[in-house]
Amino acid sequence: SFAFGVSDVIDNENELSKIWEGLKTDGTPTVFAQCIIDRKRRLNGNQPIFELYEKLKAKEFETKALTNLFVKLFTGGELWDFIDTTGQEVIDDYWKRVDSFYFYAPTEDLSKAISKLMQYDRFTSALHVASNAADQLDESLLVEVLTNFISNKPEENVRLDTYEIQHIFEELRKKKTTDHNTLIRLEWLYLPLLDQGFDHGNTPVLHEEMADNPEFFIQVLEQLYKTETDDEQEAELSDEQIQQKVQMAQSAYKLFQTWHSIPGTDSHGNIDADKLNNWVNRVLELAIASDRLTFAEGKIGNVFAKYPETNKKMDPGKELNWPPDILCEIMEGINSDSLFENFRTSAYNKRSFSSR
């Protein structure tokens, strides 16, 4: 850039002093000065920048102008250590304004920087930095970043791609020490962001829990469908509480829509009849107690219809009948209008979508 070229030829202190005055503004002069500072740092390292800070401080530059020295520099441990020596006003202003795009540092330094960003309520920037180094960071820090981001107001003027969220979740699932219940909680909180469009692969822990845990299945069902008792209780809720219940119902709907994992089915499509029968029986038992039997039967019909239809490319030995005999036996045993109606609708919709 022009500023880079100028920095290589201007050494006169008077001329440089005029350029440094640009740090006091918010416009082009500041950007020009920052480009020259960046160039000099690339050529000569951090020390000249630290010395310049001391000169400008002696000239009584205000906090914002002093911080402008650093906020657009590629950062790391040495720079952050120096920032810590400048005084609380510069420290506060730096961490409130530094551009997280420039964060390049060893894992230990990045962990400290992410904690700093969260300390200053910059949860979107913290998530951005964490996503770029998710494979290196401790799972407890990743969990803290995700929890803070979803629990607080969005950071102004900072754009975040949902891919960055998905990447952190992918890395958390790879880490064998990540608590299973924590993953369930986070996937539920992030479900509207993770499962977008027709993609049903971004909340695998929730999907597995639905297929493995009848109690969890019923809990989700209860978020989606109300009973007369629920209507009576809602009459006493505040508008905010009602809105929270609406959001929970929307998440439950989304989870059922994207859930394709038939209980007892392995990655090759083989069905363990005992596991599936035990799951169905327990779900129906809990659904009766919850006064949601018809709804539960309908959801069983929905997920049964999502079993992949057979073709010549399927694994050798896989049952070629569709639906498989075990699913037919269970549906005939339940013999519910709700189950059969939802099965037919889901099967029709699946075929209609796939044929477009």
Side-chain angles (χ1 to χ4, degrees), residues 141-161:
L141 181 59
L142 296 178
V143 168
E144 184 180 359
V145 167
L146 288 172
T147 301
N148 278 319
F149 175 78
I150 202 68
S151 306
N152 292 277
K153 292 181 180 180
E155 186 178 344
E156 294 183 2
N157 303 319
V158 180
R159 181 182 177 276
L160 184 74
D161 194 316

Side-chain angles (χ1 to χ4, degrees), residues 306-322:
K306 293 175 182 177
Y307 186 86
E309 298 193 35
T310 53
N311 58 62
K312 294 180 180 179
K313 296 181 180 180
M314 288 193 138
D315 295 337
K318 181 178 288 186
E319 185 173 18
L320 294 179
N321 294 330
W322 192 90

Side-chain angles (χ1 to χ4, degrees), residues 19-20 62 66 86 101 108 115 124 141 276 346 349 356:
I19 293 174
W20 306 147
E62 294 182 353
L66 293 172
T86 59
F101 171 79
E108 182 179 354
S115 297
T124 307
L141 181 59
L276 178 56
S346 291
N349 289 339
R356 290 174 189 166

Side-chain angles (χ1 to χ4, degrees), residues 82-325:
F82 180 79
I83 296 288
D84 285 342
T85 70
T86 59
Q88 197 59 48
E89 289 185 0
V90 172
I91 292 172
D92 291 343
D93 193 45
Y94 175 82
W95 287 107
K96 288 176 181 177
R97 295 199 295 122
V98 63
D99 191 337
S100 60
F101 171 79
Y102 296 99
F103 281 29
Y104 290 89
T107 303
E108 182 179 354
D109 291 333
L110 279 180
S111 297
K112 293 177 181 177
I114 291 168
S115 297
K116 275 285 191 182
L117 289 170
M118 291 192 290
Q119 178 184 333
Y120 287 88
D121 296 338
R122 298 189 58 191
F123 303 111
T124 307
S125 293
L127 195 148
H128 170 74
V129 177
S131 176
N132 288 336
D135 60 330
Q136 307 167 38
L137 298 172
D138 185 78
E139 69 271 10
S140 62
L141 181 59
L142 296 178
V143 168
E144 184 180 359
V145 167
L146 288 172
T147 301
N148 278 319
F149 175 78
I150 202 68
S151 306
N152 292 277
K153 292 181 180 180
E155 186 178 344
E156 294 183 2
N157 303 319
V158 180
R159 181 182 177 276
L160 184 74
D161 194 316
T162 54
Y163 166 79
E164 295 178 303
I165 296 172
Q166 293 170 358
H167 180 60
I168 292 179
F169 271 96
E170 289 171 1
E171 292 300 329
L172 273 177
R173 295 183 197 113
K174 291 178 184 177
K175 297 177 187 292
K176 302 302 182 182
T177 54
T178 305
D179 179 67
H180 181 69
N181 290 329
T182 297
L183 279 175
I184 291 173
R185 175 179 63 83
L186 288 172
E187 282 195 355
W188 175 261
L189 289 173
Y190 277 87
L191 194 147
L193 293 174
L194 292 173
D195 271 337
Q196 296 184 341
F198 293 99
D199 189 354
H200 58 269
N202 290 326
T203 52
V205 179
L206 284 178
H207 295 162
E208 291 170 7
E209 190 69 10
M210 291 272 282
D212 293 341
N213 186 347
E215 283 76 10
F216 182 73
F217 175 94
I218 293 297
Q219 289 172 11
V220 177
L221 194 75
E222 289 172 342
Q223 298 297 333
L224 182 57
Y225 296 108
K226 297 187 296 184
T227 64
E228 292 183 4
T229 302
D230 295 326
D231 287 331
E232 294 172 0
Q233 293 174 345
E234 282 193 9
E236 302 176 2
L237 298 179
S238 66
D239 290 343
E240 182 179 355
Q241 289 172 320
I242 291 175
Q243 182 60 31
Q244 288 175 349
K245 290 184 73 67
V246 169
Q247 292 172 349
M248 294 282 277
Q250 291 172 340
S251 292
Y253 175 81
K254 185 69 173 179
L255 182 54
F256 275 118
Q257 286 291 100
T258 59
W259 180 48
H260 289 57
S261 310
I262 295 177
T265 305
D266 64 21
S267 59
H268 298 289
N270 302 307
I271 301 174
D272 185 319
D274 290 337
K275 286 185 178 180
L276 178 56
N277 271 305
N278 289 338
W279 183 91
V280 168
N281 292 335
R282 181 58 177 160
V283 162
L284 296 179
E285 177 187 341
L286 293 169
I288 292 171
S290 181
D291 196 20
R292 290 173 173 83
L293 178 60
T294 300
F295 299 130
E297 291 170 339
K299 293 304 178 187
I300 291 172
N302 286 144
V303 76
F304 277 14
K306 293 175 182 177
Y307 186 86
E309 298 193 35
T310 53
N311 58 62
K312 294 180 180 179
K313 296 181 180 180
M314 288 193 138
D315 295 337
K318 181 178 288 186
E319 185 173 18
L320 294 179
N321 294 330
W322 192 90
D325 290 344

